[in-house]
Amino acid sequence: MSNRPDYLNMKQGHAQDAVAEPVDFQQQSGVISHDGRKVLRNTYALLSMTLIFSGVMAAVSVAFNVPHFGLLTLVGYFALLFLVEKTKNSAMGLVSVFALTGFMGLTLGPIISFYSSLPGGSETIAMAMGTTGLIFMAMSGWVLSTGKDLSGWGKTLMVGILVAFVCSLGAFFFEIPALSLAVSAMFIMLMSGLIAYETSAILHGGETNYISATVTLYVAIYNLFLSLLQILGVMGSDD
């Protein structure tokens, strides 16, 4: 039997009570659903583990003085990203996520070694890490506290990231320092927006797979850290 009130047969007083009863539209529409919060919890748990694992692999890379991966970084990243996409709905997806984040940690080692060798390099790395953490907490905290639906940001972020990626290739091949710094500034803004966008997508049901969500947030954090590291490194070298 349906629990819906019978407006045709109920008495007038009861009908008025039913109409006057307040409705929790947020709960009714499922704007921020229980499932969304569950996916968010799983995402944060997996993200924490992958960041720790990636940090360990970066430390191993530094300890063994692993050389810079160059374009192999992009090849390995896209290959492992494809693997994650294919396995994200199975237990193998967890293995794929750790393979991807572990590989990215290895590629981070030579970069950290380079900045560590510069005057004040350790402070620059620590500042980049701290700023990355603050930005992540600020953007995700903003969405979590306000419940903002940022689904409209998707196309803008996609186009912006594509443009920034193409510009980064140009800066790499043509060795243009000014363009490289501009790209880093673009990535800081874009990755900050991506963190907020993905958090919103999880809460509002736009992203229901915590493995995909983890990879998106990890990539945003990774690029945010590298971009901050480059800009802070240049600023430190001017002192």
Side-chain angles (χ1 to χ4, degrees):
M1 294 291 293
S2 172
N3 293 326
R4 185 178 302 169
D6 187 350
Y7 291 104
L8 294 178
N9 296 318
M10 68 169 51
K11 295 181 179 180
Q12 182 177 5
H14 290 164
Q16 291 175 347
D17 291 341
V19 174
E21 182 179 355
V23 178
D24 187 345
F25 288 103
Q26 186 179 33
Q27 183 178 2
Q28 186 181 57
S29 61
V31 173
I32 300 179
S33 65
H34 173 73
D35 289 341
R37 296 191 183 278
K38 181 179 179 181
V39 173
L40 187 69
R41 287 194 299 270
N42 291 338
T43 299
Y44 280 175
L46 183 58
L47 180 63
S48 299
M49 290 186 286
T50 55
L51 287 173
I52 293 172
F53 180 65
S54 186
V56 170
M57 296 307 294
V60 170
S61 181
V62 171
F64 286 93
N65 198 26
V66 175
H68 199 283
F69 284 70
L71 290 179
L72 183 60
T73 299
L74 290 178
V75 176
Y77 167 72
F78 284 112
L80 290 169
L81 188 64
F82 176 80
L83 180 62
V84 170
E85 185 63 26
K86 286 296 183 181
T87 60
K88 66 182 182 181
N89 293 315
S90 66
M92 186 63 187
L94 292 173
V95 178
S96 302
V97 168
F98 280 99
L100 173 61
T101 56
F103 172 74
M104 298 308 290
L106 285 175
T107 65
L108 196 59
I111 300 173
I112 292 177
S113 295
F114 169 75
Y115 280 97
S116 296
S117 65
L118 300 177
S122 298
E123 290 79 4
T124 299
I125 294 171
M127 186 176 297
M129 290 180 63
T131 306
T132 299
L134 287 175
I135 292 176
F136 177 82
M137 289 189 293
M139 299 307 294
S140 58
W142 169 58
V143 175
L144 291 173
S145 62
T146 62
K148 288 282 187 179
D149 183 357
L150 304 178
S151 56
W153 287 20
K155 291 182 179 179
T156 301
L157 286 171
M158 181 178 66
V159 173
I161 292 171
L162 181 61
V163 171
F165 177 72
V166 172
C167 290
S168 67
L169 291 178
F172 176 79
F173 285 111
F174 296 104
E175 299 182 353
I176 307 174
L179 179 59
S180 182
L181 287 176
V183 168
S184 293
M186 289 176 63
F187 267 114
I188 290 173
M189 292 185 290
L190 289 168
M191 294 303 106
S192 298
L194 182 59
I195 290 169
Y197 171 80
E198 188 65 14
T199 304
S200 174
I202 295 169
L203 285 179
H204 296 280
E207 177 59 84
T208 58
N209 188 291
Y210 72 96
I211 290 179
S212 294
T214 297
V215 170
T216 299
L217 291 175
Y218 174 88
V219 170
I221 292 171
Y222 181 93
N223 285 300
L224 183 58
F225 172 69
L226 286 184
S227 300
L228 286 166
L229 191 59
Q230 182 173 16
I231 290 180
L232 292 173
V234 171
M235 291 173 59
S237 66
D238 291 336
D239 295 339

Short mmCIF file of all heavy atoms in Angstrom, two decimals, residues 57-115:
data_model
loop_
_atom_site.label_atom_id
_atom_site.label_comp_id
_atom_site.label_asym_id
_atom_site.label_seq_id
_atom_site.Cartn_x
_atom_site.Cartn_y
_atom_site.Cartn_z
N MET A 57 57.27 6.13 -2.02
CA MET A 57 57.94 5.85 -3.29
C MET A 57 58.83 7.02 -3.71
O MET A 57 59.90 6.83 -4.30
CB MET A 57 56.91 5.55 -4.37
CG MET A 57 56.08 4.30 -4.11
SD MET A 57 57.10 2.84 -3.80
CE MET A 57 57.90 2.62 -5.39
N ALA A 58 58.39 8.26 -3.41
CA ALA A 58 59.23 9.41 -3.70
C ALA A 58 60.50 9.38 -2.87
O ALA A 58 61.59 9.70 -3.37
CB ALA A 58 58.45 10.70 -3.44
N ALA A 59 60.38 8.99 -1.59
CA ALA A 59 61.55 8.88 -0.72
C ALA A 59 62.51 7.80 -1.23
O ALA A 59 63.74 7.98 -1.20
CB ALA A 59 61.10 8.57 0.71
N VAL A 60 61.96 6.70 -1.71
CA VAL A 60 62.79 5.63 -2.28
C VAL A 60 63.51 6.14 -3.52
O VAL A 60 64.71 5.87 -3.73
CB VAL A 60 61.91 4.40 -2.64
CG1 VAL A 60 62.71 3.38 -3.46
CG2 VAL A 60 61.38 3.75 -1.37
N SER A 61 62.79 6.89 -4.33
CA SER A 61 63.38 7.44 -5.55
C SER A 61 64.53 8.39 -5.23
O SER A 61 65.58 8.38 -5.89
CB SER A 61 62.31 8.18 -6.36
OG SER A 61 62.83 8.71 -7.55
N VAL A 62 64.36 9.20 -4.18
CA VAL A 62 65.42 10.12 -3.76
C VAL A 62 66.61 9.34 -3.21
O VAL A 62 67.77 9.63 -3.52
CB VAL A 62 64.88 11.11 -2.70
CG1 VAL A 62 66.03 11.92 -2.10
CG2 VAL A 62 63.84 12.05 -3.32
N ALA A 63 66.32 8.32 -2.40
CA ALA A 63 67.39 7.54 -1.76
C ALA A 63 68.26 6.82 -2.79
O ALA A 63 69.48 6.73 -2.62
CB ALA A 63 66.77 6.53 -0.79
N PHE A 64 67.64 6.34 -3.84
CA PHE A 64 68.39 5.60 -4.87
C PHE A 64 68.80 6.48 -6.04
O PHE A 64 69.29 5.98 -7.06
CB PHE A 64 67.57 4.42 -5.37
CG PHE A 64 67.49 3.29 -4.39
CD1 PHE A 64 66.43 3.21 -3.49
CD2 PHE A 64 68.46 2.31 -4.35
CE1 PHE A 64 66.35 2.17 -2.57
CE2 PHE A 64 68.40 1.26 -3.44
CZ PHE A 64 67.34 1.19 -2.54
N ASN A 65 68.57 7.80 -5.89
CA ASN A 65 68.99 8.76 -6.90
C ASN A 65 68.48 8.39 -8.30
O ASN A 65 69.22 8.36 -9.29
CB ASN A 65 70.52 8.88 -6.92
CG ASN A 65 70.99 10.13 -7.63
OD1 ASN A 65 70.28 11.13 -7.69
ND2 ASN A 65 72.21 10.09 -8.16
N VAL A 66 67.19 8.09 -8.38
CA VAL A 66 66.56 7.72 -9.65
C VAL A 66 66.59 8.92 -10.59
O VAL A 66 66.26 10.04 -10.19
CB VAL A 66 65.11 7.27 -9.41
CG1 VAL A 66 64.39 7.01 -10.74
CG2 VAL A 66 65.09 6.02 -8.53
N PRO A 67 66.99 8.73 -11.85
CA PRO A 67 67.06 9.85 -12.80
C PRO A 67 65.68 10.34 -13.21
O PRO A 67 64.68 9.64 -13.02
CB PRO A 67 67.82 9.26 -14.00
CG PRO A 67 67.54 7.80 -13.92
CD PRO A 67 67.46 7.47 -12.45
N HIS A 68 65.64 11.52 -13.80
CA HIS A 68 64.38 12.11 -14.25
C HIS A 68 63.76 11.25 -15.35
O HIS A 68 64.45 10.76 -16.24
CB HIS A 68 64.62 13.53 -14.76
CG HIS A 68 63.37 14.36 -14.81
ND1 HIS A 68 62.42 14.22 -15.81
CD2 HIS A 68 62.89 15.32 -13.98
CE1 HIS A 68 61.43 15.07 -15.60
NE2 HIS A 68 61.69 15.74 -14.49
N PHE A 69 62.46 11.06 -15.29
CA PHE A 69 61.77 10.17 -16.22
C PHE A 69 61.49 10.82 -17.58
O PHE A 69 61.23 10.14 -18.56
CB PHE A 69 60.45 9.69 -15.61
CG PHE A 69 60.61 8.64 -14.57
CD1 PHE A 69 61.16 8.94 -13.33
CD2 PHE A 69 60.22 7.34 -14.81
CE1 PHE A 69 61.30 7.96 -12.35
CE2 PHE A 69 60.36 6.35 -13.85
CZ PHE A 69 60.91 6.66 -12.62
N GLY A 70 61.49 12.15 -17.64
CA GLY A 70 61.23 12.85 -18.90
C GLY A 70 59.84 12.53 -19.43
O GLY A 70 58.85 12.47 -18.69
N LEU A 71 59.74 12.30 -20.74
CA LEU A 71 58.46 12.02 -21.37
C LEU A 71 57.89 10.67 -20.94
O LEU A 71 56.69 10.42 -21.12
CB LEU A 71 58.61 12.05 -22.90
CG LEU A 71 58.84 13.44 -23.51
CD1 LEU A 71 59.00 13.32 -25.02
CD2 LEU A 71 57.68 14.39 -23.18
N LEU A 72 58.72 9.81 -20.37
CA LEU A 72 58.22 8.52 -19.87
C LEU A 72 57.18 8.73 -18.77
O LEU A 72 56.31 7.87 -18.56
CB LEU A 72 59.39 7.69 -19.34
CG LEU A 72 59.05 6.27 -18.84
CD1 LEU A 72 58.44 5.46 -19.97
CD2 LEU A 72 60.30 5.59 -18.29
N THR A 73 57.25 9.88 -18.10
CA THR A 73 56.26 10.19 -17.08
C THR A 73 54.86 10.23 -17.69
O THR A 73 53.91 9.66 -17.15
CB THR A 73 56.57 11.54 -16.42
OG1 THR A 73 57.85 11.48 -15.80
CG2 THR A 73 55.52 11.90 -15.37
N LEU A 74 54.74 10.92 -18.84
CA LEU A 74 53.44 11.02 -19.50
C LEU A 74 52.96 9.67 -20.01
O LEU A 74 51.79 9.31 -19.88
CB LEU A 74 53.51 12.03 -20.65
CG LEU A 74 53.66 13.50 -20.28
CD1 LEU A 74 53.76 14.35 -21.53
CD2 LEU A 74 52.48 13.95 -19.42
N VAL A 75 53.89 8.90 -20.60
CA VAL A 75 53.53 7.59 -21.13
C VAL A 75 53.03 6.68 -20.01
O VAL A 75 51.97 6.04 -20.11
CB VAL A 75 54.74 6.94 -21.85
CG1 VAL A 75 54.38 5.52 -22.30
CG2 VAL A 75 55.17 7.79 -23.04
N GLY A 76 53.80 6.61 -18.92
CA GLY A 76 53.41 5.78 -17.79
C GLY A 76 52.12 6.25 -17.15
O GLY A 76 51.27 5.43 -16.78
N TYR A 77 51.96 7.57 -17.04
CA TYR A 77 50.75 8.12 -16.42
C TYR A 77 49.51 7.74 -17.20
O TYR A 77 48.53 7.22 -16.63
CB TYR A 77 50.88 9.64 -16.31
CG TYR A 77 49.57 10.32 -15.98
CD1 TYR A 77 49.02 10.21 -14.71
CD2 TYR A 77 48.89 11.06 -16.95
CE1 TYR A 77 47.80 10.82 -14.42
CE2 TYR A 77 47.69 11.67 -16.65
CZ TYR A 77 47.15 11.56 -15.39
OH TYR A 77 45.94 12.15 -15.10
N PHE A 78 49.51 7.99 -18.50
CA PHE A 78 48.32 7.71 -19.30
C PHE A 78 48.04 6.21 -19.41
O PHE A 78 46.88 5.79 -19.44
CB PHE A 78 48.45 8.34 -20.69
CG PHE A 78 48.22 9.82 -20.71
CD1 PHE A 78 49.26 10.69 -20.99
CD2 PHE A 78 46.98 10.34 -20.41
CE1 PHE A 78 49.05 12.07 -20.99
CE2 PHE A 78 46.76 11.72 -20.40
CZ PHE A 78 47.81 12.58 -20.70
N ALA A 79 49.09 5.40 -19.46
CA ALA A 79 48.90 3.95 -19.52
C ALA A 79 48.25 3.44 -18.23
O ALA A 79 47.29 2.65 -18.26
CB ALA A 79 50.24 3.25 -19.75
N LEU A 80 48.76 3.89 -17.09
CA LEU A 80 48.20 3.47 -15.81
C LEU A 80 46.83 4.07 -15.56
O LEU A 80 45.97 3.44 -14.93
CB LEU A 80 49.17 3.83 -14.68
CG LEU A 80 50.46 3.02 -14.66
CD1 LEU A 80 51.47 3.61 -13.68
CD2 LEU A 80 50.17 1.56 -14.29
N LEU A 81 46.61 5.29 -16.06
CA LEU A 81 45.29 5.90 -15.95
C LEU A 81 44.26 5.09 -16.74
O LEU A 81 43.12 4.90 -16.28
CB LEU A 81 45.34 7.34 -16.47
CG LEU A 81 44.08 8.19 -16.25
CD1 LEU A 81 43.82 8.39 -14.76
CD2 LEU A 81 44.24 9.54 -16.94
N PHE A 82 44.66 4.61 -17.90
CA PHE A 82 43.78 3.76 -18.71
C PHE A 82 43.47 2.47 -17.96
O PHE A 82 42.33 1.99 -17.96
CB PHE A 82 44.46 3.45 -20.05
CG PHE A 82 43.69 2.50 -20.92
CD1 PHE A 82 42.61 2.96 -21.68
CD2 PHE A 82 44.03 1.17 -20.99
CE1 PHE A 82 41.89 2.09 -22.49
CE2 PHE A 82 43.31 0.29 -21.80
CZ PHE A 82 42.24 0.75 -22.55
N LEU A 83 44.47 1.91 -17.29
CA LEU A 83 44.28 0.69 -16.51
C LEU A 83 43.30 0.92 -15.37
O LEU A 83 42.43 0.08 -15.10
CB LEU A 83 45.62 0.19 -15.97
CG LEU A 83 45.59 -1.09 -15.13
CD1 LEU A 83 45.08 -2.26 -15.96
CD2 LEU A 83 46.98 -1.39 -14.56
N VAL A 84 43.43 2.05 -14.70
CA VAL A 84 42.51 2.38 -13.60
C VAL A 84 41.08 2.48 -14.12
O VAL A 84 40.14 1.95 -13.51
CB VAL A 84 42.92 3.70 -12.93
CG1 VAL A 84 41.82 4.17 -11.96
CG2 VAL A 84 44.23 3.54 -12.18
N GLU A 85 40.91 3.13 -15.26
CA GLU A 85 39.58 3.31 -15.83
C GLU A 85 38.95 1.96 -16.18
O GLU A 85 37.74 1.77 -16.01
CB GLU A 85 39.67 4.19 -17.08
CG GLU A 85 38.33 4.54 -17.70
CD GLU A 85 37.44 5.37 -16.79
OE1 GLU A 85 37.96 6.09 -15.92
OE2 GLU A 85 36.20 5.29 -16.95
N LYS A 86 39.76 1.03 -16.65
CA LYS A 86 39.24 -0.28 -17.05
C LYS A 86 38.91 -1.17 -15.85
O LYS A 86 38.07 -2.07 -15.96
CB LYS A 86 40.27 -0.99 -17.93
CG LYS A 86 40.37 -0.43 -19.34
CD LYS A 86 39.07 -0.64 -20.11
CE LYS A 86 39.16 -0.15 -21.53
NZ LYS A 86 37.88 -0.33 -22.27
N THR A 87 39.54 -0.92 -14.73
CA THR A 87 39.39 -1.82 -13.58
C THR A 87 38.70 -1.17 -12.38
O THR A 87 38.61 -1.79 -11.32
CB THR A 87 40.76 -2.35 -13.13
OG1 THR A 87 41.60 -1.24 -12.75
CG2 THR A 87 41.44 -3.12 -14.26
N LYS A 88 38.21 0.04 -12.55
CA LYS A 88 37.72 0.81 -11.40
C LYS A 88 36.51 0.18 -10.71
O LYS A 88 36.21 0.49 -9.56
CB LYS A 88 37.39 2.24 -11.82
CG LYS A 88 36.23 2.34 -12.80
CD LYS A 88 36.00 3.79 -13.20
CE LYS A 88 34.81 3.91 -14.15
NZ LYS A 88 34.59 5.32 -14.56
N ASN A 89 35.79 -0.70 -11.40
CA ASN A 89 34.61 -1.32 -10.81
C ASN A 89 34.89 -2.70 -10.24
O ASN A 89 33.96 -3.46 -9.95
CB ASN A 89 33.50 -1.41 -11.87
CG ASN A 89 32.98 -0.05 -12.28
OD1 ASN A 89 32.74 0.81 -11.45
ND2 ASN A 89 32.83 0.15 -13.58
N SER A 90 36.16 -3.04 -10.09
CA SER A 90 36.53 -4.33 -9.53
C SER A 90 37.61 -4.14 -8.47
O SER A 90 38.15 -3.04 -8.30
CB SER A 90 37.05 -5.26 -10.64
OG SER A 90 38.26 -4.76 -11.18
N ALA A 91 37.93 -5.23 -7.77
CA ALA A 91 38.98 -5.16 -6.75
C ALA A 91 40.33 -4.82 -7.37
O ALA A 91 41.19 -4.22 -6.71
CB ALA A 91 39.06 -6.50 -6.02
N MET A 92 40.52 -5.17 -8.63
CA MET A 92 41.76 -4.86 -9.33
C MET A 92 41.97 -3.36 -9.45
O MET A 92 43.09 -2.88 -9.61
CB MET A 92 41.73 -5.50 -10.73
CG MET A 92 43.03 -5.38 -11.50
SD MET A 92 44.39 -6.24 -10.66
CE MET A 92 45.77 -5.71 -11.69
N GLY A 93 40.87 -2.61 -9.33
CA GLY A 93 40.97 -1.16 -9.42
C GLY A 93 41.84 -0.58 -8.32
O GLY A 93 42.56 0.39 -8.53
N LEU A 94 41.80 -1.18 -7.13
CA LEU A 94 42.63 -0.71 -6.03
C LEU A 94 44.11 -0.91 -6.34
O LEU A 94 44.94 -0.05 -6.05
CB LEU A 94 42.25 -1.43 -4.74
CG LEU A 94 40.86 -1.12 -4.17
CD1 LEU A 94 40.56 -2.03 -2.99
CD2 LEU A 94 40.78 0.34 -3.75
N VAL A 95 44.42 -2.06 -6.94
CA VAL A 95 45.81 -2.33 -7.34
C VAL A 95 46.26 -1.31 -8.37
O VAL A 95 47.38 -0.79 -8.32
CB VAL A 95 45.95 -3.76 -7.89
CG1 VAL A 95 47.38 -4.02 -8.36
CG2 VAL A 95 45.53 -4.79 -6.85
N SER A 96 45.38 -1.00 -9.31
CA SER A 96 45.70 -0.04 -10.36
C SER A 96 45.95 1.36 -9.79
O SER A 96 46.86 2.06 -10.23
CB SER A 96 44.56 0.02 -11.39
OG SER A 96 44.31 -1.24 -11.95
N VAL A 97 45.14 1.74 -8.79
CA VAL A 97 45.32 3.06 -8.17
C VAL A 97 46.68 3.16 -7.50
O VAL A 97 47.39 4.17 -7.65
CB VAL A 97 44.19 3.33 -7.15
CG1 VAL A 97 44.52 4.55 -6.31
CG2 VAL A 97 42.87 3.54 -7.86
N PHE A 98 47.06 2.14 -6.76
CA PHE A 98 48.35 2.17 -6.08
C PHE A 98 49.51 2.08 -7.08
O PHE A 98 50.57 2.65 -6.84
CB PHE A 98 48.43 1.06 -5.04
CG PHE A 98 47.74 1.39 -3.76
CD1 PHE A 98 46.45 0.91 -3.51
CD2 PHE A 98 48.34 2.20 -2.81
CE1 PHE A 98 45.80 1.23 -2.33
CE2 PHE A 98 47.70 2.53 -1.63
CZ PHE A 98 46.42 2.03 -1.38
N ALA A 99 49.29 1.39 -8.20
CA ALA A 99 50.33 1.35 -9.24
C ALA A 99 50.53 2.74 -9.84
O ALA A 99 51.67 3.18 -10.04
CB ALA A 99 49.93 0.35 -10.33
N LEU A 100 49.42 3.44 -10.10
CA LEU A 100 49.50 4.78 -10.66
C LEU A 100 50.15 5.76 -9.69
O LEU A 100 51.09 6.48 -10.05
CB LEU A 100 48.10 5.26 -11.04
CG LEU A 100 47.97 6.73 -11.48
CD1 LEU A 100 48.79 6.99 -12.73
CD2 LEU A 100 46.51 7.10 -11.71
N THR A 101 49.66 5.80 -8.46
CA THR A 101 50.18 6.76 -7.50
C THR A 101 51.61 6.43 -7.07
O THR A 101 52.40 7.33 -6.78
CB THR A 101 49.26 6.83 -6.26
OG1 THR A 101 49.11 5.53 -5.69
CG2 THR A 101 47.89 7.36 -6.65
N GLY A 102 51.94 5.14 -7.04
CA GLY A 102 53.32 4.75 -6.74
C GLY A 102 54.27 5.19 -7.83
O GLY A 102 55.37 5.70 -7.56
N PHE A 103 53.85 5.01 -9.08
CA PHE A 103 54.66 5.46 -10.21
C PHE A 103 54.86 6.97 -10.19
O PHE A 103 55.97 7.47 -10.41
CB PHE A 103 54.01 5.03 -11.53
CG PHE A 103 54.67 5.60 -12.75
CD1 PHE A 103 55.89 5.09 -13.20
CD2 PHE A 103 54.09 6.64 -13.47
CE1 PHE A 103 56.52 5.62 -14.33
CE2 PHE A 103 54.70 7.17 -14.59
CZ PHE A 103 55.92 6.66 -15.01
N MET A 104 53.78 7.71 -9.91
CA MET A 104 53.89 9.17 -9.86
C MET A 104 54.80 9.60 -8.71
O MET A 104 55.49 10.62 -8.81
CB MET A 104 52.50 9.80 -9.71
CG MET A 104 51.56 9.53 -10.89
SD MET A 104 52.28 9.93 -12.51
CE MET A 104 52.32 11.71 -12.39
N GLY A 105 54.79 8.83 -7.62
CA GLY A 105 55.71 9.12 -6.52
C GLY A 105 57.16 8.94 -6.95
O GLY A 105 58.03 9.74 -6.60
N LEU A 106 57.43 7.89 -7.73
CA LEU A 106 58.78 7.67 -8.24
C LEU A 106 59.23 8.83 -9.13
O LEU A 106 60.38 9.26 -9.06
CB LEU A 106 58.83 6.36 -9.03
CG LEU A 106 58.83 5.06 -8.23
CD1 LEU A 106 58.76 3.87 -9.18
CD2 LEU A 106 60.09 4.96 -7.36
N THR A 107 58.32 9.32 -9.97
CA THR A 107 58.68 10.44 -10.86
C THR A 107 58.91 11.73 -10.08
O THR A 107 59.59 12.64 -10.57
CB THR A 107 57.58 10.68 -11.90
OG1 THR A 107 56.38 11.12 -11.25
CG2 THR A 107 57.29 9.42 -12.69
N LEU A 108 58.34 11.80 -8.88
CA LEU A 108 58.50 12.99 -8.05
C LEU A 108 59.88 13.05 -7.39
O LEU A 108 60.39 14.14 -7.08
CB LEU A 108 57.40 13.02 -6.99
CG LEU A 108 57.13 14.33 -6.26
CD1 LEU A 108 56.75 15.42 -7.25
CD2 LEU A 108 56.00 14.12 -5.26
N GLY A 109 60.49 11.89 -7.19
CA GLY A 109 61.77 11.82 -6.51
C GLY A 109 62.86 12.69 -7.13
O GLY A 109 63.50 13.49 -6.42
N PRO A 110 63.13 12.56 -8.45
CA PRO A 110 64.17 13.38 -9.06
C PRO A 110 63.90 14.89 -8.95
O PRO A 110 64.83 15.68 -8.83
CB PRO A 110 64.14 12.93 -10.53
CG PRO A 110 63.55 11.57 -10.50
CD PRO A 110 62.56 11.59 -9.38
N ILE A 111 62.63 15.26 -8.99
CA ILE A 111 62.28 16.69 -8.87
C ILE A 111 62.59 17.19 -7.47
O ILE A 111 63.14 18.28 -7.28
CB ILE A 111 60.79 16.89 -9.22
CG1 ILE A 111 60.51 16.42 -10.65
CG2 ILE A 111 60.39 18.36 -9.04
CD1 ILE A 111 59.04 16.42 -11.02
N ILE A 112 62.24 16.39 -6.47
CA ILE A 112 62.52 16.77 -5.08
C ILE A 112 64.03 16.83 -4.86
O ILE A 112 64.54 17.73 -4.17
CB ILE A 112 61.86 15.77 -4.12
CG1 ILE A 112 60.35 15.91 -4.20
CG2 ILE A 112 62.35 16.00 -2.69
CD1 ILE A 112 59.59 14.93 -3.33
N SER A 113 64.76 15.89 -5.44
CA SER A 113 66.23 15.89 -5.32
C SER A 113 66.82 17.16 -5.89
O SER A 113 67.74 17.76 -5.32
CB SER A 113 66.81 14.67 -6.02
OG SER A 113 66.41 13.48 -5.39
N PHE A 114 66.28 17.59 -7.03
CA PHE A 114 66.78 18.81 -7.67
C PHE A 114 66.58 20.03 -6.78
O PHE A 114 67.50 20.82 -6.55
CB PHE A 114 66.09 19.01 -9.02
CG PHE A 114 66.35 20.36 -9.63
CD1 PHE A 114 67.57 20.65 -10.22
CD2 PHE A 114 65.37 21.34 -9.61
CE1 PHE A 114 67.82 21.90 -10.78
CE2 PHE A 114 65.60 22.59 -10.16
CZ PHE A 114 66.84 22.87 -10.75
N TYR A 115 65.35 20.18 -6.26
CA TYR A 115 65.06 21.35 -5.44
C TYR A 115 65.79 21.28 -4.10
O TYR A 115 66.13 22.32 -3.52
CB TYR A 115 63.56 21.50 -5.23
CG TYR A 115 62.86 22.13 -6.42
CD1 TYR A 115 62.25 21.33 -7.38
CD2 TYR A 115 62.83 23.51 -6.59
CE1 TYR A 115 61.61 21.91 -8.48
CE2 TYR A 115 62.20 24.09 -7.69
CZ TYR A 115 61.60 23.27 -8.62
OH TYR A 115 60.99 23.85 -9.71
#
